[in-house]
Amino acid sequence: MSPLAAQVSAASRGDEITVESKLLAVHYHKQTGLMDIAWQDGHRISGIESAVELVDGRKLATPDYATHALAPHAASAKNGVMEFTIASRADGKPALLQHLWISNDKPWLSISLELDGDASRVGTRHIDALRLAKDGDVNVKEGAELRVLHVPYDNDMWFRYDSEPVKSIASDKAFTSNEVTAIYDNTSREGLVLGSIDHDVWKTAIEINAESGQIRGLDLYGGISSPTGVRTDTHDTVPHGVVSGTRVTSPRIFIGSFIDWRAGLEAYGEANAAVHAPLRWAGPVPMGWNSWAAYADKISYDRYLGAASYLHDTLVPQGFGKGRVVYVNLDAFWSRLDAVQLADAVETIKGMSAPDGTRFAPGIYWTPFAYWSDDLDAWVEGTHKKYRYRDILLKAPDGSLLPKVDGGRPIDPSHPGSKERIRFTMQQFEKMGFEYLKIDFLSHGALEGKHFDPAVQTGTQAYNMGMQEVVRAAAGKMFLSLSIAPLFPSGYGNARRLSCDTKGHIDGDQSTEYMLNSLTYGWWTSGNLYIADPDHVVLGEKADLGARNATEGRSRFLSAIVSGGMILDSSRLADDPQGRELAKQVYDNPRLFAVAAEGKVFRPVEGDTGDHAASAFVRQTATGYYLAVFNYDAKQAKTIQVPLERISAGLGKENVTVTDVSGNKSLPSAQGTVVVQLDPGESKLIELRPAK
């Protein structure tokens, strides 16, 4: 047993079971079957129960059981983490086993509920790992104005993150989030982070109820529900699958208390990475070009190679991807190129190079879990005419086909024909020489339904199965970029888009502000789960905007830099003089490319922006801080004021030199507050250094 684990203690005395570490204590009340968690910082959750609703209609909860005991010899240690089990038993009921994992030096623990059928088969589609009992309570920073975070299930349909004040939550309607939430005070930044770290079986939901500005209900459960025919955030139209067996286990729930909610979400990301490692990429964060926003279904052989030539001749010499691999990626409708054109285009791009070592590589696009035709009798590629598409499409429990999502029919990842199709297609891409694969509409593969493989009981299990097939087939030879995809399970793509399709305008739908809303509350996924992909970079779309295109285009460029530096331009570089000139103007900034090349994500300075983006993002450097500020108003100038103590407590007490990295010029020094003037739609990257 490790020294860290040895310092976690557990004891059962009288009516209470206590499990205690240096930073927190769990108090389990044997008379009531309720649990309290108290942290050294004073935060507390009281009146926690675990529960399950069986498919036969029975509802079981720990307070309804006669005995609650710390299981003898149940403690085990691994990597400094101790596991304990508290067993609730009653005659005529399957046992409820609450598993707790605690480390002595971490301000968080995790909990799951196991339903033990004792050799009898049990089943459920709703299992509450933890929820507040009737008189339960959540206590975070007495007197604080708490907020709760909504995290979208995936990045489809322009869903937004939302940080909602508890006082604005209606008493008759639950506030919901998918997989994870944060409950925090933005002023002090103190808060709790709660979320699933198991993503192999369940879709995890979080429901919060409030009354008079106080949290009165909290429920974290596996089995996001969807009444038949009613589409939810998960796009499901049938209920969550029934999970059955002699033992059924809930998702494992991470519960932590932090002095900074941002550090809490980063710790949550790290905990997920420890359970399922991210798919690491050995090379630098990708830069290049993508055809979708530029040409969509009008892509052609000439336009594809024309864009590659402009990258090679003009943008790379300015610093765009210089000295690295520059990916030139075909998106949807690449079938507009015939086989001869496709082969020639790949060979041409692979033959491009630059004296500084810049190499060019082709990329392509695919949807492994979505079918875009109504010809259900078409043969499935790669199956040697064993299966037609009607065979591999996902079915509802009554055997009918599930409805389309985004215009595509969902494919069942568990079907052998689907797996053969994946292997065949991936082999074809490798033979053709593609080194980058954008995989889209992946949420189709996670839909609930009746799967071909009877061992697959849920959409999440099917998604894991399908993505494992993709990763095996890629064999590390292609960069895998997940486009529309669930946030979890992770570990199946080198990168994942932060948001849905994003264009070049500063505000409104599909805007830079929309994408940065996803960064504001989802930056923590970078590195822990994926490389954060800010979507293809569109610099400007409207000829009548003139100079405004360049201003808003530079803001779109900076939004990609603060997201971690993955930049895939999607300007009309082949045949549009305005698109070419705009790209040349915006990308002519070696200092910004140097920041992007570091591949590091920025944090939001504030987390009180509701369903909008923060206006300021920050990251530490070896000598100080980078601060990126944005004006999302396309018509009005704006003054952004950032108190230096919100960046760093020590920085707020010093005289700080200020440099405009974007414009490569010094600005007046700051003390206490940094003030930046921005034109409509403008952004700036500022470097802050303590004065010597």
Side-chain angles (χ1 to χ4, degrees):
M1 187 179 298
S2 74
L4 284 176
Q7 296 174 50
V8 180
S9 64
S12 180
R13 300 186 183 90
D15 292 332
E16 185 173 289
I17 298 168
T18 303
V19 182
E20 200 164 11
S21 73
K22 183 170 64 176
L23 300 176
L24 62 89
V26 176
H27 303 284
Y28 196 101
H29 307 289
K30 291 190 281 187
Q31 284 191 331
T32 63
L34 298 177
M35 179 192 309
D36 304 331
I37 306 173
W39 284 269
Q40 288 293 323
D41 59 17
H43 299 162
R44 186 180 182 91
I45 306 178
S46 305
I48 296 170
E49 64 183 15
S50 296
V52 62
E53 183 175 343
L54 302 182
V55 289
D56 63 14
R58 286 183 292 166
K59 296 182 179 180
L60 310 174
T62 51
D64 302 329
Y65 279 64
T67 65
H68 313 276
L70 184 66
H73 311 296
S76 61
K78 184 179 180 182
N79 298 327
V81 179
M82 288 289 288
E83 179 184 355
F84 301 90
T85 300
I86 299 171
S88 298
R89 303 184 187 278
D91 292 340
K93 297 179 180 179
L96 298 181
L97 309 177
Q98 291 167 291
H99 302 289
L100 286 75
W101 291 264
I102 302 178
S103 174
N104 192 57
D105 63 345
K106 303 292 184 185
W108 58 270
L109 71 157
S110 55
I111 297 175
S112 74
L113 174 66
E114 182 179 358
L115 178 65
D116 183 0
D118 192 22
S120 298
R121 197 169 183 85
V122 288
T124 177
R125 56 166 46 100
H126 184 110
I127 184 165
D128 307 270
L130 68 96
R131 71 184 186 191
L132 285 188
K134 183 178 180 181
D135 296 323
D137 182 53
V138 177
N139 189 340
V140 180
K141 187 68 177 176
E142 199 68 37
E145 192 169 296
L146 295 183
R147 309 182 77 90
V148 291
L149 179 62
H150 166 78
V151 175
Y153 172 76
D154 67 6
N155 51 3
D156 197 6
M157 300 181 179
W158 295 278
F159 293 147
R160 283 177 176 256
Y161 288 75
D162 187 9
S163 170
E164 190 79 12
V166 170
K167 66 182 181 182
S168 69
I169 298 175
S171 58
D172 60 346
K173 187 177 181 180
F175 180 90
T176 64
S177 186
N178 297 277
E179 304 296 344
V180 61
T181 192
I183 303 170
Y184 63 96
D185 168 43
N186 184 63
T187 301
S188 68
R189 292 197 173 118
E190 293 183 33
L192 305 176
V193 173
L194 306 94
S196 174
I197 54 175
D198 285 333
H199 307 282
D200 51 351
V201 176
W202 298 97
K203 292 171 181 165
T204 302
I206 299 112
E207 294 184 357
I208 296 174
N209 295 92
E211 186 176 333
S212 302
Q214 301 294 316
I215 294 175
R216 299 302 183 198
L218 175 65
D219 190 359
L220 286 92
Y221 64 89
I224 293 174
S225 57
S226 170
T228 301
V230 178
R231 200 183 301 277
T232 64
D233 280 0
T234 63
H235 316 292
D236 287 306
T237 54
V238 299
H240 194 284
V242 173
V243 181
S244 62
T246 56
R247 291 175 176 265
V248 175
T249 304
S250 78
R252 190 173 4 161
I253 302 299
F254 171 107
I255 316 169
S257 177
F258 300 90
I259 59 173
D260 187 329
W261 64 278
R262 300 174 303 171
L265 282 169
E266 289 165 356
Y268 168 73
E270 291 168 4
N272 274 279
V275 173
H276 191 168
L279 190 63
R280 299 290 187 189
W281 182 249
V285 172
M287 289 189 184
W289 182 84
N290 176 276
S291 68
W292 178 247
Y295 297 113
D297 60 341
K298 303 299 189 296
I299 186 63
S300 67
Y301 171 83
D302 290 335
R303 284 175 162 172
Y304 182 50
L305 288 185
S309 295
Y310 193 76
L311 280 167
H312 179 273
D313 298 341
T314 304
L315 298 187
V316 170
Q318 289 186 177
F320 190 107
K322 193 172 183 179
R324 305 164 66 170
V325 178
V326 175
Y327 295 94
V328 189
N329 296 340
L330 288 165
D331 207 286
F333 295 97
W334 55 264
S335 57
R336 295 281 194 262
L337 282 68
D338 62 34
V340 174
Q341 290 176 323
L342 201 60
D344 183 72
V346 168
E347 183 179 357
T348 300
I349 287 171
K350 282 180 168 286
M352 290 181 171
S353 63
D356 61 8
T358 304
R359 185 173 73 83
F360 284 70
I364 201 162
Y365 170 97
W366 189 44
T367 61
F369 307 136
Y371 180 52
W372 304 99
S373 171
D374 291 326
D375 184 0
L376 304 185
D377 289 322
W379 296 107
V380 177
E381 310 94 299
T383 66
H384 306 289
K385 294 189 176 182
K386 285 188 293 185
Y387 304 108
R388 300 181 187 272
Y389 267 96
R390 69 170 62 255
D391 300 322
I392 71 170
L393 294 177
L394 186 58
K395 313 298 191 300
D398 64 3
S400 63
L401 294 178
L402 288 178
K404 294 178 181 179
V405 178
D406 291 325
R409 297 182 182 277
I411 291 172
D412 178 0
S414 79
H415 195 285
S418 303
K419 297 176 184 179
E420 289 183 36
R421 176 177 177 264
I422 289 172
R423 290 191 290 269
F424 170 79
T425 304
M426 296 293 286
Q427 287 169 3
Q428 294 305 303
F429 289 156
E430 183 183 347
K431 287 179 182 177
M432 284 187 268
F434 290 104
E435 299 181 32
Y436 184 112
L437 176 62
K438 176 181 174 181
I439 324 175
D440 207 356
F441 295 100
L442 296 177
S443 298
H444 286 65
L447 291 171
E448 303 299 325
K450 184 179 180 181
H451 292 87
F452 178 86
D453 186 340
V456 174
Q457 300 177 325
T458 70
T460 297
Q461 287 177 310
Y463 183 79
N464 278 287
M465 180 178 287
M467 291 307 296
Q468 287 165 7
E469 198 71 52
V470 171
V471 172
R472 276 195 296 268
K477 297 177 181 178
M478 302 178 74
F479 185 93
L480 299 181
S481 180
L482 313 188
S483 187
I484 292 175
L487 179 57
F488 293 107
S490 60
Y492 298 127
N494 303 112
R496 174 186 177 270
R497 280 200 316 187
L498 282 163
S499 62
C500 200
D501 291 8
T502 302
K503 300 295 179 64
H505 49 282
I506 194 70
D507 60 346
D509 296 336
Q510 304 184 47
S511 66
T512 295
E513 183 277 326
Y514 156 71
M515 190 285 291
L516 286 176
N517 163 260
S518 295
L519 182 71
T520 300
Y521 298 109
W523 87 95
W524 53 271
T525 63
S526 179
N528 290 319
L529 307 182
Y530 315 91
I531 293 171
D533 179 355
D535 195 30
H536 49 224
V537 177
V538 184
L539 300 179
E541 307 149 81
K542 299 179 180 178
D544 60 336
L545 291 183
R548 191 176 131 189
N549 267 331
T551 299
E552 296 189 18
R554 289 188 179 95
S555 292
R556 181 69 184 101
F557 178 32
L558 184 57
S559 75
I561 292 171
V562 301
S563 299
M566 183 170 171
I567 302 167
L568 294 180
D569 178 76
S570 195
S571 303
R572 292 185 288 271
L573 300 180
D575 50 13
D576 181 355
Q578 183 187 17
R580 287 183 170 206
E581 182 58 30
L582 182 58
K584 184 178 179 181
Q585 287 181 39
V586 170
Y587 294 132
D588 191 13
N589 198 320
R591 291 198 66 186
L592 288 182
F593 277 115
V595 177
E598 295 179 42
K600 296 180 180 179
V601 73
F602 285 52
R603 266 180 169 185
V605 174
E606 303 295 348
D608 59 352
T609 59
D611 64 354
H612 289 78
S615 59
F617 299 85
V618 66
R619 79 166 171 86
Q620 193 167 9
T621 69
T623 55
Y625 293 87
Y626 283 133
L627 175 68
V629 289
F630 294 82
N631 177 11
Y632 301 120
D633 192 323
K635 297 179 180 180
Q636 300 293 326
K638 192 170 185 179
T639 300
I640 304 289
Q641 300 187 50
V642 181
L644 292 172
E645 65 178 8
R646 296 298 283 175
I647 296 173
S648 167
L651 201 64
K653 301 174 184 178
E654 301 185 60
N655 190 47
V656 174
T657 63
V658 182
T659 303
D660 178 358
V661 179
S662 308
N664 194 22
K665 61 183 178 181
S666 296
L667 299 177
S669 61
Q671 189 167 22
T673 301
V674 60
V675 180
V676 185
Q677 305 292 335
L678 296 175
D679 290 335
E682 188 184 20
S683 63
K684 287 182 180 177
L685 179 63
I686 304 297
E687 185 174 16
L688 306 172
R689 293 188 183 186
K692 295 181 180 179

